[in-house]
Amino acid sequence: MLALLTGLIAGGAAFLAGWLLNRASRRLPSAALAEPPEPPVTLMLRDGAVVDSSSQADRLFGRATGEPLGWAEIVTTLQPLFGPLPDAPPRSPGSYTALHDPQTRLTLTPDGDGLRLEIRTPPLPIGEALRLRCHEPESKRLHRAVARAPLAIWMTNSAHVVTWSNTFFDDLRAQAGAAPGSAPFSLHPDPAQPLRVTRTRLGGDGCAPASWYEVQSCRVSDGWLHYAQNIDPVIAAETTQRTFLQTLTRIFAHLPIALAVFDKERRLVLFNPALLDLTQLPADFLTGRPNLLSFFDMLRDRQVLPEPRDYRSWRDKLGEVIAAASSDHYVETWSLPSGATYRMTGRPHPDGGIAFLFEDISAEVSLTRHFRQELETSQSVLDSLEEAIAVFSRTGKLAFCNAPYREMWGSDPEESPADLGIKEATRHWQAAFRPSPIWGDLREFVTLERDRAPWDAELHDHDGQPLRCLAEPLPGGATMVRFCQLPLRQPETLAQG
């Protein structure tokens, strides 16, 4: 809407300026000069107010009969044509020539305690008068549109004096208490810049709340054309966003996980102190809002990245990391030359940004490795035993077995696609031995939740080989089942008859 209104206003201003220039720069033909001159525009002022005026003067200033008209309104109307005029009615005679029409003159003559103002100009040719009458309805519409525009519009000359303004600007100037001819906005645009956009604040001095405006200043031939629009909602949104970022910064300042957030332009916009501690990057480098590639280049120089075989492969890998983090959750573990281990997590951020989290997991990795080493040692010890051992969880699932058990029964919980339970195991065992009543008791013992005591039973396979089955409770509700080979008993010799 602002662009449409600006175009409408610019068109109206162009039309009015064109009319003034055409009116001022015309040269009358000799036939026209021979015509009798039109009566001049005449005003009589006393104490700075008009007390009498000609019909042409009323038409020029748009004044109805008896309507008050002061010196400030006269100056505002005539300055675009005659240039700067006195701020107050002069006490001495003066004469002014139109800026672009030497045949048009303004005369100021003191008359007793009053002032006589007279404007003389050659008659207007018939063709030009008809053309102006054709454009008069459009001019009126443009004048109403500019006067009622919901933003301040005004023009200043090279000395930064206001030469024209609309109603919205006049109201702002009155609210700010600015003097006539001046603007409530402190603007000094650079003549070398044809367009300049600035933000300025009005009020906030304790009497009235502050209001923010965005002012666009456009250089024109005779000065500057300005547009000011209220941007309080924009300022409020930016303040809320800045407060939210400050809150996040205070929260992230106490996190041990390093955080680096990049915007859609891949510039660093947020980081916490942990990033300085984990990466040892210079603070001035991070506050300088480096881009993403420079950030990772610096990490590589500080040996906070796994060292690649060559720089080209590292750049290709970095591109893959950025693409993965931009579209979805990405996690990678870095084993650094210093012996530390970092977990890098990349996640997409709102508005096309990327957030990276760096976590030192060296202690966690060391503990995991130590635990894995202990498990491997325990596994080696159990595998060296001759007994077949199986451990079942409190829910009856096979959780662990040693090498003799796998060799005896051909089952391994790590290789089986399905969970092996005590029911499947006892059915397998029952098929390998002669009938025995212990299988139901064993299933109940494994899943029993109350206090349990170790027990054992002797079994015989189909070849008569004896085995001992031992069931022992373990901490956490687990159960260990062992199968021990017993020496083969020799058959008794027949008694001699």
Side-chain angles (χ1 to χ4, degrees), residues 3 75-76 126 133 148 319 458 476:
V75 170
T76 301
I126 296 177
R133 288 186 179 181
R148 300 180 181 180
E458 185 174 332

Side-chain angles (χ1 to χ4, degrees), residues 189 208-209 258 313 332 359 432 449:
S313 63
E332 189 174 74
E359 183 179 3
E449 296 185 359

Side-chain angles (χ1 to χ4, degrees), residues 26-45:
R26 59 180 171 77
R27 294 293 181 267
L28 299 179
S30 57
L33 292 175
E35 298 178 359
E38 296 182 356
V41 174
T42 307
L43 293 171
M44 278 297 299
L45 293 91

Side-chain angles (χ1 to χ4, degrees), residues 42 75 77 124 159 169 207 209 212 223 232 297 303 331 386 430 491:
T42 307
V75 170
T77 302
L124 197 65
F169 176 85
C207 299
W212 282 91
D232 284 342
D297 277 338
Q303 293 186 341
V331 180
E386 295 181 357
Q430 187 174 0

